[in-house]
Amino acid sequence: MKILFLGDVLGRAGRTAIKTHLPRLRKEWALDFVVVNGENASNGMGLSGEHAKLIFEAGADCVTLGDHAFDQKDMLQYIEGDTRVIRPVNYAKTAPGRGARIFSAPGGRKVMVVQVLGQIFMKRPFDDPFSAVDQILRTHPLGAQINATIVDVHAEATSEKMGLGHWMDGKASLVVGTHTHVPTGDAQILPNGTAYLTDAGMCGDYNSVIGMEKAEPLRRFVTGMQKNRFTPAEGEATLSGVYVETDDKTGKATRICMVRQGGRLQSSGPL
């Protein structure tokens, strides 16, 4: 199976990059399944139902969220009606939506998508990510009825992401980090067959401070004082993520490649 995962979509620039590049990549790379993290797509804070529809229309099969899952209040209702949107599995137990779902891919194949939030340096006391994911992976083992399992680890600390990646080695097809908006260069297949990348980066304008216009972040760093709200940078965005190929019988990864298309970063992809 050919899978594409794209990192945090940030604001108008990120949405434009998705709309511009994803339909072409879906066709050129003959993709079977596409996951997009969309939690910053609406003005850098959360995802609205309107912008979720835009991402799906561009070619996504699933959209994951994160710690800003419900910053856009209409998502509280939208996620109940559109089960293609996945919120973190270890979010508040009373939260709407679900943290994992099994999707159908071409050829009758089954893909499970799971999202989990890290705990280290995160502002909210989320439940333990290890035990939250363990229950799901035990219930739906890779290589049985599930042809591929994708886990989005939305976390701040690289160490925590790496720990989860090694802990899930052999239990998932792809473990990929999101949240920091900076792509890491450690794409690899772990010893037991799980494709891993610490952070997919963002789909946003990299002439910025993690996707935001530079003036206000720099003012706060230099003076320690806040003057204005952060606003998303609106230059040409780079679409960032990871491409993975998997074996249908075992669910293990056979290939992994970092993806960067458009914008300021050096282009990369499977072709």
Side-chain angles (χ1 to χ4, degrees):
M1 198 177 310
K2 297 179 179 180
I3 296 168
L4 177 65
F5 183 98
L6 296 176
D8 308 47
V9 178
L10 206 150
R12 184 189 304 274
R15 299 195 307 269
T16 299
I18 291 289
K19 186 176 180 180
T20 300
H21 297 289
L22 183 53
R24 170 181 60 83
L25 297 180
R26 179 123 208 182
K27 182 178 180 180
E28 289 182 3
W29 297 351
L31 297 171
D32 296 303
F33 200 79
V34 176
V35 181
V36 177
N37 183 289
E39 80 136 4
N40 297 125
S42 298
N43 201 36
M45 300 201 54
L47 175 68
S48 69
E50 177 186 355
H51 294 154
K53 292 176 183 176
L54 180 151
I55 295 172
F56 287 126
E57 289 171 359
D61 296 292
C62 173
V63 174
T64 55
L65 296 173
D67 56 312
H68 293 289
F70 301 110
D71 283 7
Q72 300 294 321
K73 299 307 179 185
D74 73 324
M75 185 51 60
L76 290 164
Q77 288 75 42
Y78 183 88
I79 197 171
E80 294 281 25
D82 193 337
T83 56
R84 295 174 297 174
V85 180
I86 303 295
R87 50 90 170 157
V89 69
N90 57 337
Y91 211 84
K93 292 180 174 60
T94 56
R98 63 182 74 180
R101 184 193 165 188
I102 298 172
F103 294 80
S104 295
R109 293 170 292 184
K110 299 297 181 182
V111 179
M112 183 166 69
V113 182
V114 185
Q115 186 181 48
V116 66
L117 285 165
Q119 289 181 312
I120 300 173
F121 304 134
M122 302 294 274
K123 295 180 180 179
R124 304 174 190 174
F126 302 114
D127 290 343
D128 169 36
F130 289 85
S131 58
V133 173
D134 182 62
Q135 181 179 356
I136 295 171
L137 298 183
R138 286 179 181 275
T139 305
H140 304 285
L142 189 64
Q145 295 181 340
I146 303 298
N147 301 106
T149 296
I150 302 163
V151 182
D152 174 355
V153 180
H154 199 76
E156 186 76 28
T158 54
S159 58
E160 188 175 25
K161 294 178 188 180
M162 288 179 175
L164 281 160
H166 287 295
W167 183 78
M168 286 186 271
D169 186 17
K171 303 173 187 176
S173 308
L174 169 65
V175 176
V176 56
T178 55
H179 182 65
T180 67
H181 299 184
V182 178
T184 56
D186 59 338
Q188 60 185 295
I189 297 178
L190 299 176
N192 293 319
T194 294
Y196 174 79
L197 179 65
T198 297
D199 202 287
M202 68 174 175
C203 296
D205 178 8
Y206 280 84
N207 184 21
S208 66
V209 175
I210 60 171
M212 296 297 176
E213 289 286 353
K214 293 175 282 188
E216 181 61 19
L218 291 176
R219 178 185 294 109
R220 296 188 192 185
F221 283 131
V222 172
T223 69
M225 295 183 290
Q226 176 179 340
K227 183 177 181 181
N228 300 308
R229 295 181 63 182
F230 289 151
T231 57
E234 296 194 350
E236 183 185 358
T238 302
L239 187 150
S240 299
V242 63
Y243 169 91
V244 172
E245 293 181 10
T246 63
D247 181 280
D248 286 340
K249 291 183 179 179
T250 65
K252 304 294 181 65
T254 58
R255 184 185 180 195
I256 183 170
C257 177
M258 292 181 64
V259 171
R260 294 185 296 269
Q261 297 286 309
R264 301 177 62 84
L265 302 190
Q266 183 178 15
S267 179
S268 66
L271 300 182

